[in-house]
Amino acid sequence: MSRRNRYRGAGITQHIYDRGNNKQIIFVDDIDRAAFMSSLFTRAADYEIALHAWVLMSNHFHILATPKHPGAISKFMQAVKSSYTQYFNSRHSRTGTLWEARFKQALSQDDNHILILYRYIELNPVRAGMVRGPRQYHWSSYHTNARLVPSENITPHPYYLLLGIDEFTRAQAYRNYVAGSFDKDKSQYEAEVAVLKTTAANLAVFGSEEFYKKLSAEIDYPITHFQRLTILAERYAAEEDEL
């Protein structure tokens, strides 16, 4: 079976996900995490990839990014994964593949979905039971997006910028949005997570019918279309309530 093509266009925000082979640990300690992030930031600058959000877990990572040039995401990910494999194998005296497979990507045009992805990515450590809140976890972009910790490597997404007139109001609005997942928006958030997990294994598109048709014309195999993640999540939550 031939390998499926990646979406190679530019200017489309993408949720990128990858993990270790057989779910093995790929970040043993903070030295490993620092090495990976150094490579990620360096290659993002090299290929002109705007990084909006990210998190490192023990055996996988998530990033939210927008490429400026066609084909840049694939080159970027290949460079990051190759360099980190060489580093990891050398440091931990091992050989062979480190990664499970080709990275997963989901494409988004929807403004609300972008913020859902911000929250989904940065709350990974909380869902995994590693910490009680995102502020307690060092290896994510939450500290920049919600706490205004300076980072020249993070580019606010245009839809994130709509949260407020300045960086302080935006950060406050985003903190409130994340906090909602623990109380008033908890059921909605849990439903969003459930829907996102079902799409993680395949190429999915979130956006208008026109957006979906445009991308479908550029990819040689079927892709899943979701017009509004929020609608799907609401349906999922309603079904759960009926059980």
Side-chain angles (χ1 to χ4, degrees):
M1 180 181 293
S2 61
R3 287 171 26 134
R4 292 176 169 180
N5 286 344
R6 291 291 182 195
Y7 174 71
R8 299 178 57 82
I12 302 298
T13 301
Q14 306 185 25
H15 172 205
I16 305 297
Y17 162 86
D18 212 343
R19 68 183 177 186
N21 190 38
N22 293 321
K23 300 182 181 180
Q24 73 179 70
I25 299 297
I26 56 175
F27 305 117
V28 174
D29 53 28
D30 284 352
I31 296 175
D32 285 348
R33 294 182 182 91
F36 181 84
M37 291 311 302
S38 176
S39 177
L40 188 79
F41 289 151
T42 298
R43 269 66 181 189
D46 289 344
Y47 291 101
E48 296 189 86
I49 306 290
L51 295 176
H52 312 300
W54 59 271
V55 69
L56 303 188
M57 303 296 284
S58 59
N59 67 355
H60 67 279
F61 68 86
H62 295 265
I63 63 174
L64 186 65
T66 306
K68 185 176 180 179
H69 305 288
I73 283 288
S74 290
K75 294 176 183 177
F76 161 64
M77 288 304 303
Q78 182 179 17
V80 170
K81 292 171 63 175
S82 177
S83 65
Y84 185 71
T85 298
Q86 293 177 29
Y87 153 83
F88 190 89
N89 284 354
S90 175
R91 182 180 182 225
H92 298 287
S93 301
R94 68 181 299 278
T95 60
T97 184
L98 179 62
W99 305 98
E100 180 180 66
R102 303 175 77 200
F103 67 88
K104 312 300 190 299
Q105 63 181 160
L107 315 175
S108 182
Q109 176 199 48
D110 185 285
D111 57 342
N112 186 264
H113 182 241
I114 295 295
L115 292 178
I116 288 173
L117 284 173
Y118 264 84
R119 182 167 70 175
Y120 174 80
I121 289 170
E122 294 177 350
L123 285 183
N124 255 256
V126 180
R127 291 197 302 276
M130 300 169 69
V131 292
R132 295 183 62 184
R135 189 176 180 179
Q136 299 169 338
Y137 192 75
H138 178 67
W139 295 98
S140 88
S141 54
Y142 178 81
H143 301 280
T144 296
N145 292 324
R147 310 300 305 181
L148 296 181
V149 174
S151 174
E152 62 183 14
N153 302 298
I154 294 296
T155 301
H157 193 279
Y159 289 137
Y160 172 89
L161 293 176
L162 293 178
L163 288 173
I165 60 173
D166 56 46
E167 62 178 2
F168 300 103
T169 55
R170 288 192 289 270
Q172 180 63 60
Y174 182 63
R175 287 197 301 273
N176 292 341
Y177 174 66
V178 172
S181 65
F182 296 92
D183 44 59
K184 63 182 179 66
D185 299 328
K186 184 176 181 180
S187 61
Q188 175 71 16
Y189 165 71
E190 290 176 346
E192 291 166 359
V193 169
V195 173
L196 284 168
K197 285 184 175 180
T198 67
T199 66
N202 301 293
L203 177 57
V205 171
F206 292 85
S208 67
E209 186 69 23
E210 181 181 2
F211 178 66
Y212 169 70
K213 289 180 178 178
K214 174 183 180 297
L215 299 189
S216 294
E218 301 178 38
I219 300 173
D220 64 355
Y221 65 96
I223 53 180
T224 305
H225 180 211
F226 299 96
Q227 287 190 311
R228 297 287 295 188
L229 176 59
T230 49
I231 293 175
L232 288 172
E234 287 166 1
R235 291 174 181 170
Y236 180 90
E239 292 171 358
E240 289 290 296
D241 290 340
E242 293 174 359
L243 295 179

